[in-house]
């Protein structure tokens, strides 16, 4: 089997409610890129690239450009199973993580479809389902409590809370959520690097009193020494996200000893680099979850297969955001019951695209 064509199709689907995080994070639509890898055997692999200029420096046009003019010509004619050889070529161009990541996801999808097995089986086969939590973007305390209660009633048992801008409000929202949701739910906070070292230590210690399970990226990711200081001063683990973009980042953070959990995002590391990360973490005794890049259904299924396949992805994942998108490119919706994604039995990632919806939402 040979790669015959790689397509990059930009599309836009509005979110139901705008998502706010960190000091300036704001998104009101999925403006993403559908990636299709065609093969000479007729099998097609699909994936979703998520431009995040403020996080990775990639834009929608830069991803389309990188795929059409660099990566597609680079790998056309290659065997889609030869991912190490393909990444050796990708490494010739710096960064562009979600352009490379999406192609990688689509390659594995094509291979699993050709073999007639679902991706969760090809990637490790631990399970065909994945528990997921609900992410609360920054809103007023009553709005966040209301949103959490509605989603607890829908079956979600884990909640990620975006914090970092107003430490006093952050403590109040964790207190209010714990009081309203009860002692059983898993509550954790993501500061998206917005606290200073001293504010992080003071604020997290106060949140710990309300049973906060762990805290994600309290201070700027570049400050590894600061992260060690925070980790030593608080009693709960720090989860690495912005500090753990690459397997090399993960190896460094593990050796420094500041992180106790890792957020794996297949949009930025594909399956090839995500596998390196999950192995590094497992050997260091560090559990993982699948982090959200606010993907639509295509990206959600790609990520869910990896999380379900691996035993060390043992915390509830974050990939329920597809429920907050107004529509989807999927002809067969994702099954989510009581906070658990049940993966389709179809080969590959199980994505069935709705060609009419692609026509409706594509931007080129
Ligand atoms: Mg994060």
């Amino acid at each position: 089997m040979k790669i015959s064509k790689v397509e990059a199709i930009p599309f836009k689907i509005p979110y139901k409610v705008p998502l706010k995080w960190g000091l300036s994070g704001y998104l009101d639509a999925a403006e993403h890129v559908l990636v299709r890898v065609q093969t000479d055997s007729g099998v097609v692999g699909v994936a979703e690239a998520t431009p995040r200029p403020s996080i990775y420096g990639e834009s929608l046009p830069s991803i389309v450009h990188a795929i059409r003019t660099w990566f597609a010509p680079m790998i056309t004619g290659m065997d889609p199973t030869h991912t190490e050889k393909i990444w050796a070529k990708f490494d010739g161009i710096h960064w562009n993580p979600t352009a490379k990541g999406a192609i990688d996801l689509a390659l594995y999808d094509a291979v699993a479809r050709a073999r007639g097995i679902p991706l969760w089986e090809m990637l490790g086969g631990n399970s065909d389902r994945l528990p997921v939590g609900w992410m609360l973007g920054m809103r007023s305390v009553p709005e966040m409590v209301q949103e959490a209660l509605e989603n607890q009633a829908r079956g979600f048992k884990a909640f990620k809370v975006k914090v970092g801008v107003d430490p006093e409000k952050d403590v109040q929202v964790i207190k209010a959520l714990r009081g309203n949701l009860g002692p059983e739910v898993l509550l954790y906070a993501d500061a998206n690097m917005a606290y200073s070292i001293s504010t992080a230590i003071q604020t997290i210690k106060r949140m710990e009193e309300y049973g906060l399970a762990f805290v994600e990226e309290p201070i700027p990711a570049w400050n590894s020494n600061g992260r060690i200081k925070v980790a030593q001063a608080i009693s709960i683990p720090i989860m690495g996200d912005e500090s753990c973009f690459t397997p090399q980042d993960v190896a460094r953070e593990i050796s420094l000893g500041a992180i106790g959990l890792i957020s794996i995002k297949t949009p930025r590391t594909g399956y090839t680099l995500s596998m390196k990360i999950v192995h590094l973490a497992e050997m260091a005794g560090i559990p993982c979850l699948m982090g959200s890049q606010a993907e639509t259904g295509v990206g959600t299924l790609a990520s869910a297969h990896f999380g379900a396949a691996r035993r060390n992805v043992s915390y509830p994942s974050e990939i329920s955001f597809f429920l907050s998108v107004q529509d989807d490119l999927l002809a067969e919706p994702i099954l989510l019951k009581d906070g658990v994604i049940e993966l389709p039995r179809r080969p590959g990632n199980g994505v069935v695209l709705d060609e009419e919806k692609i026509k409706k939402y594509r931007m080129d």
Side-chain angles (χ1 to χ4, degrees):
M1 192 163 63
K2 299 269 182 281
I3 299 163
S4 54
K5 190 176 174 190
V6 183
E7 286 177 282
I9 302 166
F11 67 94
K12 177 176 182 175
I13 308 177
Y15 294 147
K16 289 175 184 165
V17 178
L19 177 64
K20 290 182 198 168
W21 74 95
L23 293 173
S24 58
Y26 178 88
L27 283 173
D28 58 12
E31 292 186 54
H32 296 172
V33 182
L34 180 72
V35 175
R36 280 203 277 213
V37 171
Q38 298 185 21
T39 62
D40 61 359
S41 69
V43 173
V44 181
V46 297
E48 178 178 356
T50 52
R52 292 291 176 269
S54 67
I55 307 176
Y56 309 118
E58 293 175 296
S59 66
L60 191 104
S62 86
I63 289 174
V64 171
H65 176 85
I67 292 175
R68 289 182 185 164
T69 61
W70 293 335
F71 301 127
M74 202 179 260
I75 65 169
T76 299
M78 292 181 77
D79 186 320
T81 63
H82 294 181
T83 46
E84 285 293 304
K85 232 184 266 178
I86 286 166
W87 275 90
K89 294 202 168 223
F90 282 176
D91 284 346
I93 287 179
H94 182 60
W95 205 225
N96 288 280
T98 77
K100 293 173 183 173
I103 294 172
D104 183 82
L105 297 173
L107 292 173
Y108 275 83
D109 180 39
V111 172
R113 284 175 196 252
R115 291 179 183 169
I117 57 169
L119 265 168
W120 68 269
E121 286 193 322
M122 200 170 90
L123 296 168
N126 184 54
S127 175
D128 61 355
R129 48 197 60 204
L130 184 77
V132 292
W134 186 259
M135 176 170 62
L136 298 162
M138 282 181 193
R139 301 167 77 185
S140 72
V141 174
E143 283 174 321
M144 289 170 81
V145 169
Q146 183 59 32
E147 184 180 340
L149 285 170
E150 285 166 16
N151 284 287
Q152 187 181 34
R154 280 210 270 184
F156 289 101
K157 298 165 190 72
F159 294 86
K160 159 162 164 160
V161 189
K162 289 289 195 187
V163 300
V165 171
D166 177 350
E168 187 54 43
K169 180 217 162 188
D170 296 345
V171 176
Q172 293 314 315
V173 76
I174 297 298
K175 180 183 177 183
L177 287 168
R178 179 58 74 201
N180 282 277
L181 299 173
E184 299 296 319
V185 302
L186 181 86
L187 265 186
Y188 64 104
D190 183 3
N192 287 105
M193 319 186 287
Y195 292 143
S196 66
I197 295 175
S198 59
T199 305
I201 293 171
Q202 287 163 11
T203 310
I204 297 162
K205 279 184 161 175
R206 291 175 66 198
M207 291 174 172
E208 283 174 6
E209 293 175 32
Y210 307 106
L212 198 72
F214 52 93
V215 61
E216 183 175 343
E217 299 292 2
I219 64 162
W222 58 266
N223 195 348
S224 298
N225 289 323
R227 199 154 36 254
I228 296 171
K229 257 187 214 168
V230 175
Q232 287 171 345
I234 62 177
S235 336
I236 56 174
I238 293 175
M239 180 160 80
D241 175 8
E242 288 93 334
S243 62
C244 292
F245 283 168
T246 65
Q248 292 82 354
D249 287 339
V250 169
R252 180 196 65 235
E253 290 301 315
I254 287 173
S255 73
L256 291 171
I259 52 162
L261 280 113
I262 292 170
S263 175
I264 298 178
K265 294 182 173 173
T266 54
R268 70 181 174 215
T269 41
Y271 291 132
T272 298
L273 304 188
S274 296
M275 198 63 89
K276 295 175 200 253
I277 289 174
V278 82
H279 287 159
L280 278 167
E282 190 168 358
M283 294 309 104
I286 294 176
C288 299
L289 56 70
M290 304 311 292
S292 172
Q293 209 73 95
E295 302 103 308
T296 70
V298 174
T300 303
L301 278 176
S303 191
H305 276 275
F306 187 87
R310 305 308 312 181
R311 205 164 27 136
N312 196 44
V313 179
S314 53
Y315 274 74
S317 290
E318 298 175 348
I319 49 176
S320 57
F321 197 82
F322 71 96
L323 295 170
S324 302
V325 189
Q326 282 184 17
D327 201 357
D328 215 329
L329 302 180
L330 299 182
E332 295 285 338
I334 293 173
L335 287 178
L336 193 157
K337 229 172 36 199
D338 288 330
V340 178
I341 290 178
E342 297 177 19
L343 289 167
R345 290 167 198 275
R346 297 180 289 275
N349 56 24
V351 166
V352 181
L353 289 170
D354 183 328
E355 296 296 333
E356 289 305 309
K357 294 222 171 132
I358 296 175
K359 263 185 220 154
K360 179 174 173 189
Y361 293 115
R362 69 183 296 163
M363 293 168 77
D364 57 350

